[in-house]
Each structure stands twice: as C-alpha cells, then as structure tokens.
Amino acid sequence: MRGFIKESSPVTKFRRILVKLSGEALMAPDGYWLDSELLVGLASDIAKATQAGFEIALVIGGGNIIRGARMSAAGWIDRPTADSMGMLGTVMNSLAVETALNAAGVPARTMSAVSMPTICETYARQPALHHLEKGQVVVLAGGTGNPYFTTDTAAVLRAAELRCDAVLKATQVDGVYSADPKKDPGAVRYERLTHDEAIARDLKVMDTAAFALARESRLSIIVGSVHAPSSVTAILDGTSPSTIVAP
C-alpha cells in the first residue's frame, strides 16, 4: 500500500486546472445556502491562482440547495426531474461565484450546459476555450446537462474537453485516505495513486464514472482540503498537502 511518497512538487507542472467544489462547501455555518465571507475568500484565492499563472475553470455542485438523487430516493419525484432541479441549483451557485470573482477583479463568465440565454451563456467547447485563453475564469454550471451524472463526472468531462492538465477536487480533507480519517485514527493519506488503484479500492472521493473517464482521458486528479487558507493556490503551488491520482 502506497503512503507518503515524496516527489519534487509534481503539482506545479500543471497550468490549466479545473477546480471542482462541492455545493456544501459554500454553506454558511447557520445552514444558509451561501456564505458571503466564504465566497469572498474563494474569489481572493482564485485571484491569487490566476496571478500566479494558472488558468482556472470551475465546476460547482448544488448540494447546498438540492440533491437530485436523494430527493428521487424519497420516492415522490422521478430521478430525471430531480436531477434537472439539481442542475438549476448549480446555476444559482455558479452565478454567485461569478459575481464574487468579478467583484475581486477576476474576469469570470458562467456557462451552463442547460440553455438559459437570458441568464448566462450556454456552454460550448470552443467559446469556453476562447475565454480561458483570454485569461477569464470559466464557471461551468448545469452539470453535463443530463440526468444520472454527478458534477464529479461533469468536472472530468469538461476538463478533458477544455484540455486541462488536471482536476482539483477541493474536499473536506487534505487528500485521499485509506479510511475515513474522522472515524479511523490509523487512516493513511496517500501521496499518489493510479486511477486503477482508486477504482479497485472503491475510494469515495469521486464516483467511479468520474475516475473511469479520467483514466481514459489520462487526466490527473488532485485532491486537497478547501478549508485551509488560500487552499487552491497552496495546493497548486505544492505547499499544501494533497493526493494526486494519475495514470
């Protein structure tokens, strides 16, 4: 079993990054669906990353508003409808993040897989690439635009389409562990894993479909904590702990 394998700042070779952030990470301590202070901090963090030369795309989940799979499991609404409602939640979060980024002086644009042209731009690959090449942060909303796919899978799909070097999965812990570190004090944090190892060990940091697509696309996944100060920048410059899942 691999553990703390030291390498010479492998993260710093990446330049175009897709950051995947859960909707729950945006929640206020009192349970309100958005934390304004957290949004300001996130925008400042992304600003530092862009100033350091990173090109950033973002995929934000909608779990702070609604979870389609959970609602469907309750039995009173079908899964495609519930997932469509979840996609709308990601648009709401993305617009909030776009607004915070623009207020921080970072040019940002929301693009949705679910077409709603009076609210934001509809996602298309070539315009998204153009925005990234111009130095804009692209906030990708609406998941894949289809039910039954998580925003983890959407993040890997968009990263592959937009020629990103890696997906940064910003989570509640500072990497991938052999067990839940909150429940098992003996849990080991991995420095590096392959996609096959992550799938075989059924590690829950991303769903299997996302890992499988990353493996097929030979796309690296970086897993780190969203709670550390300047977490995105620190993970990308190699100064904050993380796990790399790579071919």
Side-chain angles (χ1 to χ4, degrees):
M1 182 174 66
R2 298 184 185 186
F4 292 81
I5 303 171
K6 294 296 182 183
E7 299 186 22
S8 55
S9 301
V11 176
T12 57
K13 66 181 179 180
F14 302 133
R15 278 296 170 262
R16 180 174 292 176
I17 308 293
L18 190 143
V19 179
K20 167 58 172 63
L21 189 67
S22 70
E24 288 92 335
L26 302 180
M27 290 185 69
D30 63 2
Y32 187 66
W33 69 286
L34 280 180
D35 184 339
S36 59
E37 291 186 10
L38 189 150
L39 284 172
V40 170
L42 174 64
S44 175
D45 191 5
I46 297 297
K48 291 176 184 176
T50 58
Q51 291 163 7
F54 293 101
E55 297 177 353
I56 303 292
L58 287 161
V59 168
I60 315 294
N64 56 324
I65 302 172
I66 185 173
R67 281 195 170 276
R70 185 178 301 169
M71 179 178 288
S72 175
W76 63 276
I77 191 168
D78 63 272
R79 178 68 182 271
T81 301
D83 281 355
S84 294
M85 296 167 69
M87 292 175 210
L88 297 178
T90 71
V91 176
M92 295 169 67
N93 283 338
S94 296
L95 291 171
V97 171
E98 177 195 18
T99 300
L101 287 167
N102 287 328
V106 180
R109 186 178 296 249
T110 296
M111 304 183 78
S112 173
V114 180
S115 182
M116 46 185 73
T118 61
I119 295 175
C120 60
E121 187 174 346
T122 301
Y123 171 77
R125 178 174 176 268
Q126 291 298 339
L129 284 168
H130 179 65
H131 297 324
L132 286 170
E133 288 160 2
K134 286 172 57 181
Q136 293 181 311
V137 172
V138 180
V139 188
L140 300 160
T144 67
N146 299 288
Y148 297 101
F149 291 96
T150 67
T151 48
D152 280 350
T153 302
V156 175
L157 173 63
R158 297 294 182 239
E161 288 181 324
L162 299 177
R163 300 196 294 267
C164 293
D165 298 312
V167 173
L168 169 55
K169 175 71 181 288
T171 69
Q172 308 302 311
V173 292
D174 60 355
V176 180
Y177 283 77
S178 57
D180 186 342
K182 296 179 180 179
K183 299 177 180 178
D184 184 354
V188 176
R189 182 176 62 82
Y190 302 109
E191 285 284 336
R192 191 177 184 94
L193 292 162
T194 67
H195 297 106
D196 286 334
E197 288 171 331
I199 293 170
R201 295 174 186 176
D202 195 26
L203 300 174
K204 300 300 185 182
V205 69
M206 271 189 158
D207 61 75
T208 302
F211 275 132
L213 180 56
R215 177 180 60 186
E216 182 179 341
S217 305
R218 301 191 64 77
L219 185 67
S220 296
I221 298 171
I222 312 161
V223 182
S225 172
V226 71
H227 294 299
S230 300
S231 55
V232 171
T233 307
I235 293 168
L236 293 180
D237 68 18
T239 60
S240 182
S242 64
T243 298
I244 296 180
V245 184

